[in-house]
Amino acid sequence: MREALDATYPTQTPATPVYRTNAEHERLTERESGVSQLIRYVVGLVRRNIWLIAIIVAVAIIAAVVLTMLQTPRYTAMSTLEIAEDTQQVLGEDLGAETTSYANWDIEMNLNTQLEILRSRALAERVAERLDLASNERFFNAMEAAALVELSEQQRADRTADMLRANFSVDLPTGTRIAELRYTSTDPGVSAMVVDAFASEFIQANLQRKFDSSAYARSFVAEQLEEARVRLENSERELNAYAREAGLIRTRDASAEGGNAAGSMTASSLLQLNTAANEAQAARIAAEARWNAERAQPLFSSQAVLASPTVQSLMQRRATLQAELDSARDRYLPDHPAVTRLRTELQATETSLNRAANEVRNSIRANYQASAAAEGDLRQQVNTLEGATLAEQDLSVRYNTLAREADTNRQIYDGLLQRYRALNAAAGITASNIAVVDRAEVPSSPSSPNLPRNVLLAMVLGLALAGAVVFLRDQMDDRLRIPEDVESKIGLPLLGVVPTAEDGNPVGALDDPKSPIAESYNALRTTLMHSTREGLPRLLLVTSAQASEGKTTTSYAIARSFARVGKNVLLIDADLRRPNVHKTADVPNKTGMSTLLVGEASLADVAVRSSYPGLTIVPAGPIPPSPAELLSSPRMAALLEQVEAEYDFVVIDSAPILGLADSTELAALVDGVALVVEANRGRGGQLKGALRRLRALNPVLVGAILTKYDASKGGSYSYYGYNYYRYESDENAPA
């Protein structure tokens, strides 16, 4: 855009700076900006490739661990168990807790018995079965018995139990009930895994016999729970279906006390707008009182006028000139040059003084008019929402009934679920008198080989390799990922950034003025109003390099946005190959541009007033056999001259540039061209080729619009800080 405008409106390059300090300041600012851009570039690059970096670093660490493991150091892992005297029911007093005391038993004999159980072959077989060690090659390698894999399944199971017992030891320090379990192997992970399995299986073996004591009760409650779940799902679906059919948007908390706790978004919006309208009324009354007081008094008797620094300065200047004029008249004749000059300056000062005083008074009147307009707009919105709220209250009667039914079913389901859990917990299971004190930690010894040092070195090398790979990958990838890529890769100014729709429906998001998509198009509207030296281009062509980049949605959104601020807008669907404007705007497409350009209809015949005030749409009409010939015909140029005279703003949705001549033909006839680029899809080389085709006709390229932008995938902190500014949620608003 800068090159096109400079060619049309040549400007003079300023000379060298007048002050040396200004040049030094500019150089310092550029240096700081470069550093900031570099930091943002590096951070964005890391975020976009975080998984690739993680994989490379993980592979490097794994390689270091594998190389370290080529040696055969032995590792001993330890876990500790507490062997108490008695047991207590899991569910406590509320469900019949009872305590069994072993105070009369021979404590020493009991402890020795527990230790022998830990050393038993039966427990070793349970551990081998739980961890499937008989088929675990890692276990055999850790035990330096890889040749055992060749044996039969039964032989491997027997040898596995023998190896477990041979390398497992248990000690009970004197004067304690803490048993120390140890297991030794050449693999620290296997050692920790096996010793933890011994501790867990020892506890499970003591409790296993009581698992199925209440199987019938659990089965019956499980059937009732399933029936309650089905009823709850049906009632919730019926409630949601009614809300969708009636168009009710309610924030409902089924877990809130009282059941149906719901709030209406419409009522909340009405409350907010009514508060804003009352504030606007108070502001208007204050502004009106000030204006009435101001206009009721002479101009130079107003305190506001006299308080103006400009007026005070001019009055002082007038008094000085008057004194000098009186002095000159005493000394010279009336036609003396000095007298004439002072008289002229005094008259000019009087004129400036009157103008400055009137400007102060006009500003007070403008403030009053703006306050009145704001109050009127808010009152109109309040009246609209009052009707919507009353209509919503009528629809809420059935909704509340269904909500109470769903809440009742949920209470029944929660009660059955709680009972089912209680039965599972009370299924004859008692709290074991054996508890794990410390689970085994993977041992870090021996010191040679030094695994932590090797892992740290592998991490550093992995990060260096990942940095090189990511940098080369980024240099070879010319896709436009972040907003800064628009100017750096294709040389066009960035008009705006449109985020991706969370629900995949960007047109629907336009109906919510608080949505990120609607806000982004509002910002785009402001940018377009200052996109050229004349301001907003009367005829704006919206195109893209390839299909499905969002140009039709963007054209429709731009047209709606300007219609919203009171402009008379016309949206033309000039994509005569794959028209979509009529689908987006929900207007008929029986006649349109094709019938208009072949002379079978006039503009008034094909123009359709949309449901949105101020927006008129000309659909594409039937698809013609030769769209390029129609768009390059004199009828098209005449049509654009006609609509430019009849409408404040005209938006033209055209076909993609690459492979077609439609957009290039139209680019020479409009006042500005906006290029739509899809983030993470548009490529720099492809877009430059499209721009070369456009620039061959010397159009006014106002800039590019980045669509479908996902900040979380862009990896950049420089645009909206990853999260678009959103309105505060209404979830805490009163019902």
Side-chain angles (χ1 to χ4, degrees), residues 339-360:
V339 175
T340 303
R341 177 181 59 80
L342 291 173
R343 188 185 302 114
T344 303
E345 292 183 4
L346 182 60
Q347 293 175 353
T349 302
E350 289 283 355
T351 302
S352 299
L353 180 61
N354 291 329
R355 182 168 59 251
N358 287 322
E359 288 178 353
V360 173

Side-chain angles (χ1 to χ4, degrees), residues 357-414:
N358 287 322
E359 288 178 353
V360 173
R361 175 165 288 182
N362 290 337
S363 67
I364 298 175
R365 181 177 60 184
N367 182 39
Y368 160 63
Q369 294 173 345
S371 300
E375 180 189 5
D377 292 342
L378 287 172
R379 288 299 179 190
Q380 183 179 2
Q381 296 182 32
V382 168
N383 294 335
T384 302
L385 280 179
E386 286 178 350
T389 303
L390 293 175
E392 188 179 77
Q393 290 177 353
D394 295 335
L395 297 173
S396 298
V397 176
R398 174 63 176 165
Y399 178 90
N400 293 333
T401 302
L402 293 174
R404 283 191 291 270
E405 180 180 353
D407 293 337
T408 301
N409 290 333
R410 177 171 293 280
Q411 292 175 0
I412 295 174
Y413 176 79
D414 290 341

Side-chain angles (χ1 to χ4, degrees), residues 290-307:
R290 184 181 179 189
W291 167 241
N292 291 335
E294 179 67 24
R295 65 180 179 178
Q297 57 186 337
L299 182 61
F300 288 99
S301 297
S302 170
Q303 293 296 327
V305 172
L306 296 178

